[in-house]
Amino acid sequence: MILGIESSCDDTSAAVLKGTQILANITHTQLIHEQYGGVVPELASRAHIEHIVPVVKRALDTAQISVNEIDAIAFTQGPGLMGSLVVGTSFAKGLALALNKPLIGVHHMKAHILSHFITHEGMTAPSFPFLCLTVSGGHTQIVVVHDALNMEIIGKTIDDAAGEAFDKAAKMLGLPYPGGPLIDQYAQAGDPNVYAFAEPNIPALNFSFSGLKTSILYFLKKEVTKDPDFVASNLNNLCASIQHSITEILVKKLKKAQQQTGITCIAVSGGVSVNRGLRAKLHAWQREQPQLSIHLAHPSFCTDNAAMIAIAGSFLLEAGITHDQKIAANAKLPW
Ligand code: KG4
Ligand code: ZN
């Protein structure tokens, strides 16, 4: 029975996993950042301090267990916002010391990948080796997952992350933070082929979103000068076209990686993997190439959550990897 704790950005989350089964997965999302157009680190760490104890208590209550029944405590060591990470790290270290239980520091992005191993209706675990596109607010990578403890990055963004591209485009459209889910929502009623934006030409399996961002910015400036209501009157088509452009960049590189590696098992993880435009393209690819096995996690395991930290912790514990009280939060935790 593992208690997972996640506090890398603006979600305070605690989960209890028994093996791969979820007994509880409780997340408190900080809404305070919406009015600032992005996560304010100082406010995020204060909110984590306020919410960590109630969130952990709720997770234990939901799992109907006492804290003494936990076998180990897994927490996000990094990467993420330092002030946010310190709260989860200190809490986990204190609890492990008090209970005299093993402590396991987890890499946030590896946990996003391992979320696919949580038991949940409609989800089947990928088999090793698999290719994983990890797309979040801070990262965009293609990873060869040789096994749970051996993951190799074969492509990554050279500038913005995919989630950042969604959020920045949303901001240009006047939408609040985080704008990714809103672009997805408006895109549902729009036509993705109305507007075309600059396509990056980046070598190998790397990504770039800065050219697309500039292309959207200049296009909007030009159109708004002609018609001040341009964005409001074309919001659905703009969102659908932007979503189409970002997801095309992702899927094209993932297809290239599949061809280069010959790996037929593919997974997608991280907050952006909830995106319905991206999911539709992956479903279409699966239909075109039935020999591939494409895995999408349940949306509750795609955005930041502690269940993925607990499952990653269980793989480390199984391999005999635990940490002592010297472990520290690391905002730039290496891969
Ligand atoms: O993995 P995540 O929850 O946190 C990080 O580790 O960064 O990812 C958050 C990112 C944000 O940029 C958010 O806008 C994006 O995921 N996101 C989406 C959707 N849901 C979340 N982007 C596009 N469509 C969505 N439905
Ligand atoms: Zn994340």
Side-chain angles (χ1 to χ4, degrees):
M1 198 110 68
I2 298 201
L3 173 69
I5 292 167
E6 154 65 25
S7 73
S8 66
C9 190
D10 56 346
D11 293 302
T12 316
S13 185
V16 179
L17 245 74
K18 188 177 182 179
T20 61
Q21 303 278 344
I22 293 193
L23 302 187
N25 187 25
I26 307 293
T27 302
H28 171 268
T29 299
Q30 305 170 1
L31 300 175
I32 188 161
H33 309 288
E34 208 174 284
Q35 57 191 292
Y36 297 99
V39 178
V40 182
E42 179 58 29
L43 296 178
S45 61
R46 283 192 220 171
H48 282 303
I49 292 171
E50 204 176 308
H51 292 286
I52 192 139
V53 173
V55 164
V56 170
K57 273 195 176 149
R58 249 182 82 202
L60 294 171
D61 287 349
T62 307
Q64 296 185 320
I65 58 157
S66 86
V67 75
N68 294 307
E69 289 172 76
I70 284 161
D71 298 308
I73 296 148
F75 70 97
T76 306
Q77 188 193 357
L81 299 172
M82 194 55 186
S84 293
L85 290 167
V86 161
V87 179
T89 303
S90 309
F91 182 88
K93 283 169 73 173
L95 192 61
L97 190 65
L99 298 173
N100 194 24
K101 304 278 179 177
L103 177 68
I104 311 156
V106 168
H107 192 290
H108 181 84
M109 294 314 294
K110 292 182 179 174
H112 268 301
I113 293 172
L114 295 171
S115 65
H116 284 273
F117 293 89
I118 294 168
T119 301
H120 196 269
E121 205 188 320
M123 273 168 64
T124 52
S127 43
F128 300 116
F130 65 92
L131 270 185
C132 193
L133 172 71
T134 55
V135 271
S136 71
H139 292 80
T140 296
Q141 305 166 328
I142 299 178
V143 180
V144 178
V145 188
H146 298 286
D147 63 52
L149 302 183
N150 181 8
M151 303 183 187
E152 181 192 351
I153 299 170
I154 57 168
K156 61 180 182 199
T157 181
I158 58 165
D159 41 57
D160 290 350
E164 226 176 330
F166 268 107
D167 296 338
K168 285 180 178 171
K171 202 171 180 176
M172 292 180 216
L173 298 174
L175 301 173
Y177 177 87
L182 293 169
I183 291 197
D184 187 347
Q185 190 186 316
Y186 291 115
Q188 290 287 102
D191 179 346
N193 299 309
V194 174
Y195 308 109
F197 303 106
E199 268 188 57
N201 184 13
I202 306 296
L205 296 172
N206 293 327
F207 301 92
S208 166
F209 294 98
S210 69
L212 173 68
K213 188 177 64 186
T214 313
S215 161
I216 297 170
L217 181 69
Y218 285 119
F219 171 75
L220 289 177
K221 269 191 179 162
K222 194 180 78 201
E223 294 302 324
V224 169
T225 318
K226 286 188 270 173
D227 168 14
D229 292 330
F230 177 76
V231 171
S233 24
N234 298 286
L235 190 60
N236 294 342
N237 288 341
L238 280 166
C239 286
S241 303
I242 290 168
Q243 175 170 289
H244 175 64
S245 304
I246 296 174
T247 54
E248 268 304 290
I249 294 172
L250 295 172
V251 173
K252 271 188 186 162
K253 281 288 159 98
L254 186 57
K255 286 184 175 175
K256 189 174 172 185
Q258 194 284 320
Q259 278 167 359
Q260 279 186 14
T261 60
I263 295 173
T264 54
C265 187
I266 289 148
V268 187
S269 47
V272 178
S273 68
V274 176
N275 184 265
R276 282 170 283 185
L278 177 61
R279 286 183 173 233
K281 286 181 186 175
L282 294 168
H283 286 307
W285 189 23
Q286 176 72 85
R287 281 194 299 274
E288 280 160 28
Q289 301 211 29
Q291 79 282 9
L292 299 178
S293 161
I294 301 179
H295 298 253
L296 295 166
H298 185 270
S300 58
F301 309 131
C302 296
T303 47
D304 286 349
N305 68 90
M308 69 182 196
I309 304 304
I311 194 94
S314 77
F315 278 110
L316 291 166
L317 187 66
E318 213 172 73
I321 300 168
T322 60
H323 298 99
D324 62 24
Q325 288 286 326
K326 285 197 236 64
I327 191 168
N330 185 344
K332 295 193 187 307
L333 187 67
W335 188 250

